[in-house]
Amino acid sequence: MPSEARLRELQLECHADDIQLTEEMLSWPEERAREYLLSGGEQLDSLQPPAGHCAPCESREGVVYTAWRVWDGLSDVCMRDAGGALMCVAVLGELIAFVGSLAELPAELARLNRVDYGDATIMPGLIDAHVHIEFDPRYGLHDQPELSVSQHDRQMQVRAAAMARHGITTARDLGGRGGAFRLREQIRSGACIGPRLLVAGQAVTRPGGHCHQWGGAAKDETEMVKVIQRQVANSADLIKVMATGGVRTAGTNPAQSAFTSKEMRIAVACAAAAGLRVAAHAHGVHGIRACADAKVGTVEHCSWVDERGRWGCVDRKCAAALAQAGTFVCPTVPASWGQSRFQGLKQTMGAAYRVMLSAGVRFAAGTDSGAIPNVWHHQLLDGLLVFGDAAEMSAAQLLRCATSEAAAACALEATTGMLTDGYAADLLVVPGNPLRPAHPQADFFEELERSLRHPLAVVCRGMHIEPCQPPASSYPAWTASGDVRACACTLTARGQAPST
């Protein structure tokens, strides 16, 4: 059983300063306490949706959510009713039935149960376009513990529940050994709580290349096609290709290309034949050029590493080609770039992001959680804020990266990422106005963080999910000797490093 001091250590390790510690936790096994903290305070026995609490809305009942404002996922400002009426979003089953002023709500929807949040904003759920749900952030990417299938499933379910409770309603899993396929089906069937999950399966890579341990190595074009077809047979939602070496696989070089432009075009064509897009891991300049030439769907990391190992060496012509091809970039900026020791890298890459923005490149938010040690799967907001600061984005630009733009990057632009009639009922209710500072001297991102850190409500595909707990107003007396909240950094996470 953990001691009081060990519980406080676990709270810091799990970045769970918002979860109130209780005396009951002293009687729990340490692993149970860890999973509880990692899940955002979710009791392990409640990962399955209980009737009436996390069940999808019945179409004969439905819900009308009301608040002062609505942000649709596209606009630069939140919408309010000119006459002072509340704004609302009506949900029937898994879909949005109406978005607009409560004064204009159709009569057939006015009879639905109504939940009012007052001075708050209803907005689309968040999207993390780059996760690795199979992997435990406490360990290195290739140093994961051996687990039984049931143990692994339980850990993935805890991570998925934590993501949903922190407002992430869609996620794209970009590689692993196959466990994410099981989790996707468990979420779809309602066996556990979690975001809509898109799964790539085994990544296509070279023998000995980045993440070859996952089983997707291909030495030539023929084997590349076989790996892709194997993922298609497993019902993959997209294809992942390691276009360059990686940071976390020994013997590979992030600056070096793994595949030629011709091979990348073959991968894209093979995926397209199955109706799928390609997400390409690419750090090096030459690999990014091959991705642009092949017109991949997304470039992950896009670090612009040159042959001398320097990051942020943008090829402006290539950036323009990415924009013209409609290729998205998912930069996977970790919160640790906000620390002083990473300021040089943050400034260098921030300049690169601004060059890409000026060229018309579109960005999607992603964490690379599970692959980067100590980047937890529910921490999308932490890295997002650092990325927005580095790229000098407005609050609306940044939020679009995690909603409507991310949806388009995931080929879900007709399904989610926006609040509009007929779209999936993926939404958050957050306090205040995330797009406007609370007072003239406040920073835009301060209000954005304040709003999104602890949502008032989370709805995922029409399912009501209990949001993560707000900071405790007071801690139990036995924790008074150590101020956990003061020790846990809000915008940075210990031990994080550059992307994989």
Side-chain angles (χ1 to χ4, degrees):
M1 306 302 173
S3 65
E4 297 173 11
R6 181 55 183 153
L7 278 179
R8 290 195 291 271
E9 290 175 358
L10 287 173
Q11 193 174 39
L12 290 176
E13 290 174 10
C14 299
H15 306 287
D17 56 302
D18 56 341
I19 306 302
Q20 182 170 348
L21 303 178
T22 66
E23 292 191 37
E24 179 187 1
M25 295 173 69
L26 291 171
S27 64
W28 293 358
E30 181 172 316
E31 191 59 28
R32 180 183 178 188
R34 184 189 297 276
E35 289 189 346
Y36 176 80
L37 294 169
L38 285 176
S39 72
E42 183 72 72
Q43 291 285 359
L44 300 186
D45 293 337
S46 65
L47 292 176
Q48 291 74 29
H53 177 65
C54 293
C57 305
E58 296 291 341
S59 59
R60 66 177 179 273
E61 296 178 2
V63 178
V64 176
Y65 299 92
T66 62
W68 287 9
R69 308 166 202 84
V70 164
W71 182 63
D72 60 6
L74 295 172
S75 306
D76 288 331
V77 296
C78 294
M79 298 183 292
R80 294 197 66 168
D81 182 83
L86 291 171
M87 299 296 291
C88 71
V89 176
V91 173
L92 286 175
E94 296 186 0
L95 301 178
I96 295 172
F98 177 81
V99 179
S101 169
L102 183 62
E104 299 174 357
L105 184 68
E108 65 271 19
L109 299 177
R111 60 179 174 76
L112 300 178
N113 294 328
R114 180 175 142 191
V115 183
D116 179 43
Y117 291 93
D119 184 6
T121 301
I122 308 172
M123 59 171 283
L126 302 178
I127 298 174
D128 190 334
H130 191 134
V131 305
H132 296 278
I133 196 74
E134 296 183 26
F135 303 120
D136 189 331
R138 293 174 293 170
Y139 305 94
L141 177 60
H142 302 307
D143 297 309
Q144 296 288 309
E146 291 294 328
L147 301 171
S148 68
V149 171
S150 61
Q151 289 174 325
H152 193 212
D153 284 357
R154 193 62 167 175
Q155 288 199 2
M156 290 191 295
Q157 289 171 1
V158 169
R159 294 171 201 141
M163 292 170 72
R165 297 190 68 214
H166 283 77
I168 301 169
T169 57
T170 298
R172 194 173 59 154
D173 187 273
L174 291 189
R177 300 185 181 94
F181 286 116
R182 297 195 305 273
L183 179 64
R184 180 188 66 184
E185 298 312 308
Q186 291 161 6
I187 293 172
R188 286 179 177 176
S189 69
C192 67
I193 296 167
R196 172 189 296 100
L197 196 61
L198 306 180
V199 180
Q202 297 168 322
V204 183
T205 188
R206 285 295 191 199
H210 186 44
C211 296
H212 64 276
Q213 297 91 335
W214 300 346
K219 69 176 184 291
D220 55 31
E221 296 170 6
T222 300
E223 289 192 355
M224 171 186 279
V225 170
K226 288 182 179 178
V227 174
I228 294 173
Q229 291 175 338
R230 188 163 68 242
Q231 309 321 304
V232 172
N234 286 333
S235 300
D237 299 293
L238 72 158
I239 300 299
K240 175 76 174 291
V241 178
M242 301 299 194
T244 70
V247 173
R248 305 192 185 281
T249 302
T252 70
N253 184 343
Q256 291 182 350
S257 297
F259 298 104
T260 65
S261 292
K262 178 185 176 184
E263 289 170 325
M264 290 300 298
R265 289 195 297 271
I266 289 172
V268 169
C270 185
L276 305 180
R277 294 185 185 180
V278 167
H281 159 108
H283 283 297
V285 174
H286 294 301
I288 296 170
R289 288 172 181 158
C291 292
D293 181 62
K295 297 180 173 59
V296 301
T298 62
V299 175
E300 309 302 308
H301 317 305
C302 203
S303 307
W304 301 102
V305 181
D306 70 5
E307 294 173 346
R308 296 169 59 186
R310 298 175 301 180
W311 288 48
C313 299
V314 183
D315 179 334
R316 292 175 180 268
K317 183 178 179 180
C318 182
L322 290 172
Q324 185 174 10
T327 297
F328 285 80
V329 166
C330 184
T332 65
V333 174
S336 60
W337 285 17
Q339 297 175 2
S340 58
R341 64 192 178 110
F342 286 118
Q343 280 305 297
L345 180 60
K346 177 187 172 185
Q347 291 172 4
T348 296
M349 290 308 302
Y353 300 145
R354 294 192 294 274
V355 169
M356 286 189 277
L357 281 169
S358 65
V361 174
R362 299 167 70 181
F363 285 86
T367 57
D368 206 6
S369 54
I372 305 176
N374 297 313
V375 174
W376 303 92
H377 296 80
H378 61 276
Q379 289 185 313
L380 175 62
L381 178 61
D382 301 86
L384 185 68
L385 292 168
V386 177
F387 167 64
D389 183 43
E392 298 181 359
M393 287 183 166
S394 69
Q397 279 181 298
L398 187 60
L399 268 189
R400 283 194 287 266
C401 290
T403 53
S404 56
E405 289 292 90
C410 296
L412 293 173
E413 62 270 30
T415 301
T416 190
M418 294 182 282
L419 297 186
T420 191
D421 298 4
Y423 271 52
D426 298 332
L427 58 92
L428 307 181
V429 183
V430 299
N433 183 345
L435 302 185
R436 191 177 69 184
H439 54 84
Q441 286 73 40
D443 183 90
F444 275 99
F445 288 174
E446 288 179 8
E447 183 66 11
L448 183 61
E449 184 196 1
R450 189 187 74 83
S451 289
L452 270 66
R453 181 64 63 188
H454 298 287
L456 303 174
V458 178
V459 179
C460 186
R461 303 181 306 284
M463 179 183 293
H464 309 283
I465 295 174
E466 186 71 21
C468 57
Q469 298 176 11
S473 57
S474 61
Y475 278 68
W478 53 266
T479 67
S481 59
D483 188 348
V484 178
R485 288 166 292 178
C487 296
C489 186
T490 303
L491 291 178
T492 61
R494 297 173 295 131
Q496 296 174 6
S499 305
T500 60

